[in-house]
């Protein structure tokens, strides 16, 4: 057997998973299981920017292959197909040449949405969350337009391979600029919900989820690295919207806007479902999984609203609803035999603190530093509540799985 080809094929699978946005533990575990399936003990290592495998071949010759990971995407379809491929390789153990051919066929078979669907996803996500946060009909339409601006700018920046930090600044600035102008001209009812709805597109949901899961599974360095990326993204969002505010205020002044509306529970559930169908397109989820992911997000938001109406604090409401999202995701992942990531990322999107980032920025610009700091700490506390919810559910499920794996071994003894 060509052990060099085995190592190359294994690290290529890890690379494809990392580029698609998979968690560090999933990348390492997949590479390790593939190596073990061929009767070889080895090591697999991954961080956000690098994957590597190392083992000793039967001729006592050590083999180590490392591959640098560049741009990270949000391709959940690719993660699901690569996960299924690794299961197939471990079950059938083909020759490395055949496994490498399977890998090429799998990556070539990954589907992606058309460009017009990509822009539709941006429109649906921004308009849907504008409705959730209490915008009027014309606010929804303007938020959808703002989402299209973000989609166009982000797509152009990705083609030019611009640093994500500066890409986020440009997208948030060019989105907020016309929104503030429209508010100054009286074309909007509530500019805040328009901008917040559109900013949900820029909040790094996959990064937030993966950073928490990496820390949970002991990959602290990867988790901390991703958290730093999250903080930089939040800073870029605030910087871009603040720049737009500074540019438009001397010309149009501070627009007087109406208070946000409060829609019935069922209406907010439908709006959340529509918004997260947009994210399903942006994260490239297909088939029944797309509908189930969006249903999970609607369920999560309804639980959050019920907890809030029951008198729970903002932290406990986010915690309980994240627990529901995590349990739903774990159940769906096991039922459909696919990664939990798709369901968890989409189901958690309504709870991401996009509004907190915006209000921290706007309060700070008004000169109320103490209140802005308090809002920022509240936003961080919400993120912490989500992390604890994921941690609790993931730990319980992992403990149950570990006990089930030990049970047959103890029975044989």
């Amino acid at each position: 057997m060509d052990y060099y080809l085995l190592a190359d094929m294994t690290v290529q699978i890890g690379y494809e998973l990392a580029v698609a946005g998979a968690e560090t533990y999933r990348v390492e575990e997949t590479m390790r299981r593939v190596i073990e399936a061929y009767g070889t003990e080895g090591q697999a290592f991954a961080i956000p920017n690098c994957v590597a495998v190392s083992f000793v071949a039967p001729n006592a010759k050590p083999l180590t292959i490392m591959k640098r990971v560049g741009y990270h995407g949000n391709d959940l379809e690719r993660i699901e197909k690569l996960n299924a491929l690794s299961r197939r390789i471990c079950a059938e153990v083909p020759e490395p040449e055949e496994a490498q051919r399977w890998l090429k066929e799998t990556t070539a078979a990954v589907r992606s949405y058309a460009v017009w669907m990509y822009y539709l996803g941006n429109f649906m996500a921004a308009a849907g969350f504008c409705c959730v946060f209490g915008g009027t009909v014309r606010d929804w339409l303007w938020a959808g337009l703002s989402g299209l601006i973000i989609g166009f700018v982000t797509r152009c920046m990705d083609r030019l391979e611009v640093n994500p930090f500066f890409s986020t600044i440009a997208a948030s600035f060019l989105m907020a600029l016309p929104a503030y102008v429209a508010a100054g001209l009286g074309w909007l009812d509530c500019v805040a919900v328009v901008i917040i709805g559109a900013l949900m597109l820029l909040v790094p949901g996959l990064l937030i989820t993966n950073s928490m899961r990496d820390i949970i599974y002991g990959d602290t360095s990867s988790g901390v690295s991703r958290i730093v990326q999250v903080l930089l993204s939040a800073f870029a969002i605030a910087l871009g919207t603040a720049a737009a505010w500074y540019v438009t205020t001397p010309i149009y002044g501070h627009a007087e806007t109406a208070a946000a509306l409060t829609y019935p529970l069922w209406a907010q559930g439908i709006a959340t479902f529509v918004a997260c169908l947009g994210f399903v397109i942006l994260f490239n989820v297909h088939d029944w999984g797309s509908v189930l992911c969006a249903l999970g997000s609607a369920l999560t938001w309804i639980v959050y609203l019920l907890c809030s109406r029951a008198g729970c604090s903002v932290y406990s409401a986010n915690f309980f609803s994240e627990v529901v999202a995590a349990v739903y995701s774990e159940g769906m992942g096991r039922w459909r035999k696919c990664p939990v990531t798709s369901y968890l990322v989409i189901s958690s999107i309504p709870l991401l603190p996009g509004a907190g980032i915006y209000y921290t920025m706007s309060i700070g610009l008004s000169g109320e530093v103490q209140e802005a700091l308090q809002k920022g700490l509240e936003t961080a506390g919400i993120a912490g509540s989500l992390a604890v919810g994921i941690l609790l559910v993931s730990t319980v499920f992992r403990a149950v799985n570990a006990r089930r794996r030990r049970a047959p071994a103890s029975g044989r003894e």
Side-chain angles (χ1 to χ4, degrees), residues 25-40:
Y25 89 91
R26 184 177 302 281
V27 176
E28 290 184 344
E29 185 176 3
T30 299
M31 293 191 295
R32 185 174 60 253
R33 286 187 176 183
V34 170
I35 294 172
E36 291 175 352
Y38 286 86
T40 304

Side-chain angles (χ1 to χ4, degrees), residues 92 179 289 337 409:
E92 301 182 22
K337 293 182 173 57

Side-chain angles (χ1 to χ4, degrees), residues 358-382:
Y358 174 79
Y359 285 122
T360 300
M361 179 276 302
S362 61
I363 294 171
L365 290 177
S366 65
E368 300 175 7
V369 179
Q370 189 68 29
E371 189 174 346
L373 179 60
Q374 182 178 354
K375 190 66 179 179
L377 292 175
E378 179 185 291
T379 303
I382 291 173

